[in-house]
Amino acid sequence: MKNIKPKLIDLFKGGYCTPQIARIASTLKEPSSTIHYNIKKLENEGAIKAYKAVFDYEKINEGFCVYVLVNISPEYYNTPIAEELSKLEEVESAATIAGEWDIILKIRTKNQNEYYDILKKHLLPKGVTKTLTLTTLKDIKTNYVFL
Amino acid sequence: MKNIKPKLIDLFKGGYCTPQIARIASTLKEPSSTIHYNIKKLENEGAIKAYKAVFDYEKINEGFCVYVLVNISPEYYNTPIAEELSKLEEVESAATIAGEWDIILKIRTKNQNEYYDILKKHLLPKGVTKTLTLTTLKDIKTNYVFL
DNA sequence: TTGTCTAACTGAACAAAATTCAAATATCCA
DNA sequence: TGGATATTTGAATTTTGTTCAGTTAGACAA
């Protein structure tokens, strides 16, 4: 057995998909060469970053989902902490925000324990002064896809 | 001019894409029929919800992004408010959460004004008692894709 | 309005990729 | 060990994507 499933999941998280031109053409009742032309234009404008898969995260062992609010110590304001945290594969989304908190992360793991490991290892060292974890009870919609 | 671009964006937000079996096969150095078999298996298990596009949201006029924490009045706890809010096309993600707040939403609009319209129209009526808007300064990663 | 330039659209030929399927191999478990 | 089930694979087939030259539509200045 080649255990291809985890490799597919890895690839599909960030890309390795492509538009279904024929299906779009038939849905919009336009020639496929017209659809092709318009998609290439969108891609060349840089409007499309990736074609990728969205999962049922329970079924790929990432059923535990949290949002984490993070505060950064002032002397780290000019360092790319958010960018560093974004590189963790468990981080689905990351953004810097205005107000009481500095960064918001969305993190998916198998369970609480794995999240706690990440919290200890990656969210407490560096310039992080404070965190607030919002634990997801029910994931309803992610990236415009209903779960 | 047929104005196909917005229609493509609509379709791509939720699907109308498909795996690149040949490219995956060559990346993983496996026969494409093997890759095909394993992908179909993932799909049949329900592990994959959709194949879709991720955008440069500035370039599709959705450059304003917020996270909103929402509180629900107790008499609405048994109603599907989160599900209702999820149906708004501007809502990228929605989840019910544990703790001080009941729901977290991620919303993309063209600008502050359009977000304010949604806040007034959809987030204040119904059973919503309180909201806290966290405005994104810099979107770093969304759905595992770097922006 | 007319003419000119550029962008958008399209059909048809072609190239590439997905899908199917039957046979071979591996895995599971009683 | 044996028999049922799941996975892998190459080759044939079907479907889809891509290219490109010709056409149409839109923008804009005279």
Side-chain angles (χ1 to χ4, degrees):
Chain A
M1 219 261 259
K2 296 196 157 184
N3 207 23
I4 287 169
K5 177 172 168 176
K7 295 174 188 170
L8 289 177
I9 292 171
D10 270 4
L11 295 181
F12 282 152
K13 271 193 185 170
Y16 284 86
C17 298
T18 191
Q20 287 182 293
I21 295 179
R23 186 151 83 97
I24 295 166
S26 115
T27 299
L28 299 183
K29 297 192 178 66
E30 300 288 353
S32 67
S33 48
T34 302
I35 298 304
H36 183 270
Y37 174 85
N38 279 275
I39 290 175
K40 288 307 159 198
K41 189 157 167 279
L42 268 178
E43 291 174 359
N44 293 335
E45 286 170 359
I48 292 173
K49 301 295 278 185
Y51 301 106
K52 55 152 292 162
V54 174
F55 299 95
D56 181 329
Y57 296 94
E58 297 270 2
K59 293 192 174 148
I60 61 167
N61 267 297
E62 297 183 18
F64 188 70
C65 178
V66 300
Y67 287 87
V68 197
L69 298 170
V70 179
N71 265 150
I72 298 299
S73 149
E75 64 257 37
Y76 282 84
Y77 282 169
N78 284 321
T79 65
I81 291 191
E83 285 77 3
E84 283 302 315
L85 293 172
S86 299
K87 289 177 188 162
L88 297 172
E89 63 169 0
E90 292 89 353
V91 171
E92 177 182 313
S93 306
T96 58
I97 53 179
E100 292 287 304
W101 297 93
D102 299 307
I103 298 170
I104 185 164
L105 303 173
K106 185 178 184 182
I107 298 181
R108 290 190 191 273
T109 59
K110 187 184 166 112
N111 52 38
Q112 292 94 325
N113 288 336
E114 288 198 3
Y115 170 63
Y116 185 63
D117 290 343
I118 291 175
L119 191 65
K120 267 192 311 186
K121 194 167 167 195
H122 299 286
L123 295 179
L124 297 183
K126 302 179 180 178
V128 175
T129 54
K130 197 175 152 197
T131 67
L132 173 62
T133 298
L134 305 168
T135 304
T136 293
L137 296 174
K138 189 166 193 294
D139 220 340
I140 298 167
K141 194 183 188 184
T142 295
N143 208 238
Y144 304 105
V145 175
F146 288 90
L147 300 177
Chain B
M1 219 261 260
K2 297 194 157 182
N3 208 23
I4 287 169
K5 178 172 167 176
K7 294 175 188 167
L8 287 177
I9 292 171
D10 270 6
L11 294 181
F12 282 151
K13 271 191 186 172
Y16 284 87
C17 297
T18 191
Q20 288 183 293
I21 295 179
R23 186 151 84 96
I24 295 166
S26 113
T27 299
L28 299 184
K29 297 191 177 67
E30 299 287 354
S32 68
S33 50
T34 302
I35 299 303
H36 183 271
Y37 173 86
N38 279 275
I39 290 174
K40 288 305 159 200
K41 188 159 166 275
L42 269 178
E43 292 174 359
N44 293 335
E45 285 169 359
I48 291 173
K49 301 296 275 186
Y51 302 105
K52 54 153 290 162
V54 174
F55 298 95
D56 182 329
Y57 296 94
E58 298 271 2
K59 293 193 174 147
I60 62 167
N61 268 297
E62 296 182 21
F64 188 72
C65 178
V66 300
Y67 287 87
V68 198
L69 298 170
V70 179
N71 265 149
I72 299 299
S73 147
E75 64 257 37
Y76 281 84
Y77 282 170
N78 284 322
T79 65
I81 290 192
E83 284 77 4
E84 284 302 317
L85 293 172
S86 299
K87 288 177 189 160
L88 297 172
E89 62 170 2
E90 292 89 353
V91 171
E92 177 182 313
S93 306
T96 57
I97 54 180
E100 292 288 303
W101 297 93
D102 299 309
I103 298 172
I104 186 166
L105 302 173
K106 185 179 184 182
I107 298 181
R108 289 190 192 271
T109 60
K110 185 184 167 112
N111 52 39
Q112 293 94 326
N113 289 336
E114 288 199 3
Y115 170 62
Y116 185 62
D117 290 345
I118 291 174
L119 191 65
K120 267 192 312 188
K121 194 168 167 196
H122 299 287
L123 295 178
L124 297 183
K126 302 180 179 177
V128 175
T129 54
K130 196 174 153 199
T131 67
L132 172 63
T133 298
L134 305 169
T135 304
T136 293
L137 297 174
K138 188 165 193 295
D139 220 340
I140 299 167
K141 194 182 188 184
T142 296
N143 207 238
Y144 303 106
V145 175
F146 286 90
L147 299 176

